[in-house]
Amino acid sequence: MAALGSPGRTLRGLLRELRYLNAATGRPYRDTAAYRYLMKAFRAHRVRKPHWVTSEKLCRAQHELHFQAATYLCLLRSVREHLALHQEFHGKGERSVEESAGLVGLQLPSQPGGKGWEP
């Protein structure tokens, strides 16, 4: 399993994704129920005493919360990136040869006499 990183970094990532989601509505992300829930959960599971004094049950709960938060962050990022890719490459019906070539970064050779030129 990959390392999760710090809980603070995960929280910042989740808040960033909330900002992206609420940018379309124009409503501040801090007014959402998701923001309040995240902040309440992270504050409740924050380590307040040295790790060697913390009980094993509390440690397990903290790691579980962090793992779930990292998984949810991965989901939110993936959905946002999927939508961006879908908007960019979604089929728009039949495309011309020039448009298809432009999608993959190619250019068609130009005809010497212009369109309809015949020798």
Side-chain angles (χ1 to χ4, degrees), residues 57-118:
K57 190 173 184 178
L58 182 60
C59 275
R60 194 175 318 123
Q62 287 171 343
H63 292 302
E64 181 66 22
L65 173 74
H66 187 205
F67 179 76
Q68 287 178 351
T71 303
Y72 190 59
L73 174 60
C74 181
L75 171 73
L76 290 176
R77 270 192 194 142
S78 298
V79 167
R80 179 176 50 85
E81 291 170 359
H82 168 75
L83 288 175
L85 287 172
H86 183 71
Q87 287 176 348
E88 184 175 349
F89 295 107
H90 179 66
K92 299 174 185 167
E94 192 66 29
R95 295 178 189 219
S96 68
V97 176
E98 291 86 9
E99 286 177 333
S100 299
L103 271 178
V104 294
L106 300 175
Q107 286 184 331
L108 294 177
S110 60
Q111 296 179 352
K115 206 166 197 171
W117 178 75
E118 295 179 358

Side-chain angles (χ1 to χ4, degrees), residues 40-52:
K40 182 179 176 184
F42 270 86
R43 285 180 183 140
H45 289 86
R46 182 174 45 199
V47 176
R48 293 192 182 99
K49 43 187 164 176
H51 68 281
W52 60 86

Side-chain angles (χ1 to χ4, degrees), residues 7-22 29 32 34-35 37-39 41-42 65-77:
R9 185 174 179 174
T10 303
L11 178 62
R12 284 192 303 273
L14 285 168
L15 295 178
R16 184 180 313 115
E17 293 301 321
L18 280 178
R19 280 193 297 272
Y20 287 142
L21 289 173
N22 289 331
Y29 72 100
T32 62
Y35 174 80
Y37 174 77
L38 282 172
M39 295 309 292
F42 270 86
L65 173 74
H66 187 205
F67 179 76
Q68 287 178 351
T71 303
Y72 190 59
L73 174 60
C74 181
L75 171 73
L76 290 176
R77 270 192 194 142

